[in-house]
Amino acid sequence: MKTTTSTKVALAVDLGGTNLRAAIVHREGALHHRKSVRTPRTKKEALDQMISLLSELKDEAGRNVWHVLGVGVSTGGRVDLEKGEIVDSTALLPEWQHVPLRDILQSTLQLPVCVDNDGNCAALAEQMFGKGRAISNFIALVLGTGIGGGVVVENKILRGARNAAAELGHISIHYDGPQCSCGNRGCIELYASGSGLARLAKELLKSGTIKLEGMPEDQITPQALADAAQKGNAVARQLVEQAGALLGVAVAGLLNTFNPERVILSGSLTNIGELYLKPFRETVRARAMTVAWDSVEIVVSDLPDPALLGAAILAFG
């Protein structure tokens, strides 16, 4: 690509419960110099790491003579869009309450900064670059360490009264289930997310119900469970299939509520494949109203990183 100051780019960062990712993004959606590190456990360490990554990318853009329009931040949790503040986050990101992230980054990087929820960012990316193009009503569902998402209704992101709409991971499917970090009980995130699957597997390990040879407790991941299932571990298979089915219960309710044309899945859990996705689709079909099921197409995103791309869209304005 020709290096010129007329080449306009954005810096994008995604603050996730497991990984902190950043990249330079061009207007057409190309990602450059993508970086990923484990998310530090403390807020100070995470902020320092975020600033370090963005500073490196800003310098890299300068060396390429690219004009940086601003910074877009995607994060888990609830965000005050107007203030650029993380109001409160998930249990996966402790200490992140009332953090004026926009002001912190603007003062440090001397660039305009926008901050939004990661689910909304994913929906923006699908709408601009992905499988939400030319689709007026769709749901973007992000299946990773947690579960997030965004809802597009008549071509607009559904934000709600305080930008807290579409907390899709906090749909309760068991009224007397375990308590979630949001204060509710039995949220789908506790059963069908990466962290939820790991939690359930650890409980089964402690009770002796499941044996995972050569897999220390702190290394249990959804992919590791899927691998064990493929090797014949019946309990691991049941756990993964149950997660997909329970997710289907929640999404069937979303279909009955929003009647979308498309549900777009992204995130690390989609890499598990049919072991997770087949019971998900089957349950949605069984639980959704006929008109809602007949109206919808369930697809997997083909974008390399929807949260980062959506964060960049914020910066492009």
Side-chain angles (χ1 to χ4, degrees):
M1 181 176 289
K2 184 179 179 181
T3 56
T4 167
T5 52
S6 65
T7 300
K8 295 179 174 59
V9 300
L11 307 183
V13 62
D14 177 57
L15 175 61
T18 300
N19 295 309
L20 176 64
R21 305 188 307 281
I24 299 172
V25 184
H26 286 256
R27 274 194 177 276
E28 74 281 5
L31 293 165
H32 294 271
H33 306 285
R34 190 163 21 162
K35 299 176 180 291
S36 179
V37 299
R38 297 286 290 185
T39 303
R41 289 300 90 192
T42 71
K43 181 179 69 176
K44 182 182 185 306
E45 289 172 330
L47 277 171
D48 289 345
Q49 184 68 75
M50 186 184 298
I51 290 168
S52 175
L53 288 175
L54 289 170
S55 296
E56 288 179 30
L57 292 174
K58 182 182 178 183
D59 292 343
E60 184 63 38
R63 284 190 289 272
N64 284 279
V65 203
W66 293 336
H67 176 53
V68 180
L69 295 176
V71 178
V73 182
S74 162
T75 178
R78 272 60 62 191
V79 174
D80 186 319
L81 190 64
E82 292 185 6
K83 294 181 179 179
E85 175 185 275
I86 299 178
V87 178
D88 66 271
S89 198
T90 67
L92 304 170
L93 294 170
E95 304 178 354
W96 290 84
Q97 289 86 34
H98 298 288
V99 180
L101 190 56
R102 181 189 65 189
D103 294 346
I104 291 169
L105 295 181
Q106 281 185 170
S107 64
T108 304
L109 299 168
Q110 298 300 300
L111 288 168
V113 176
C114 296
V115 184
D116 202 356
N117 169 267
D118 54 2
N120 289 338
C121 286
L124 283 171
E126 297 296 345
Q127 187 177 44
M128 180 70 72
F129 301 119
K131 292 185 176 179
R133 284 176 295 181
I135 304 294
S136 300
N137 300 277
F138 70 88
I139 295 171
L141 193 61
V142 185
L143 308 169
T145 307
I147 292 178
V151 177
V152 171
V153 178
E154 299 299 327
N155 297 306
K156 294 182 179 180
I157 297 286
L158 181 66
R159 294 192 174 277
R162 296 181 63 185
N163 202 48
E167 283 289 344
L168 305 186
H170 297 289
I171 297 170
S172 177
I173 59 167
H174 288 306
Y175 78 95
D176 59 349
Q179 187 161 22
C180 181
S181 62
C182 72
N184 197 0
R185 288 187 175 274
C187 292
I188 186 59
E189 187 170 278
L190 297 172
Y191 303 94
S193 68
S195 61
L197 267 170
R199 176 186 68 84
L200 291 169
K202 289 173 184 177
E203 289 178 358
L204 292 177
L205 273 174
K206 289 176 182 177
S207 68
T209 305
I210 188 174
K211 291 183 179 180
L212 299 170
E213 299 297 335
M215 192 186 306
E217 185 176 312
D218 61 354
Q219 292 182 18
I220 293 174
T221 64
Q223 188 60 56
L225 287 171
D227 291 343
Q230 296 293 351
K231 293 176 182 177
N233 189 311
V235 179
R237 172 176 287 275
Q238 182 181 15
L239 199 59
V240 177
E241 289 179 340
Q242 172 187 273
L246 290 175
L247 180 67
V249 172
V251 172
L254 292 174
L255 263 59
N256 293 342
T257 303
F258 294 107
N259 188 208
E261 301 162 69
R262 188 168 286 179
V263 174
I264 307 169
L265 309 177
S266 65
S268 59
L269 290 190
T270 62
N271 297 328
I272 294 176
E274 288 302 293
L275 188 65
Y276 180 82
L277 296 179
K278 183 180 178 182
F280 162 69
R281 288 193 301 267
E282 289 176 345
T283 305
V284 174
R285 182 172 188 173
R287 296 292 187 108
M289 293 188 299
T290 300
V291 65
W293 173 255
D294 288 346
S295 304
V296 76
E297 180 184 18
I298 297 174
V299 299
V300 176
S301 174
D302 55 9
L303 294 179
D305 200 321
L308 277 182
L309 288 170
I313 292 169
L314 295 174
F316 287 131

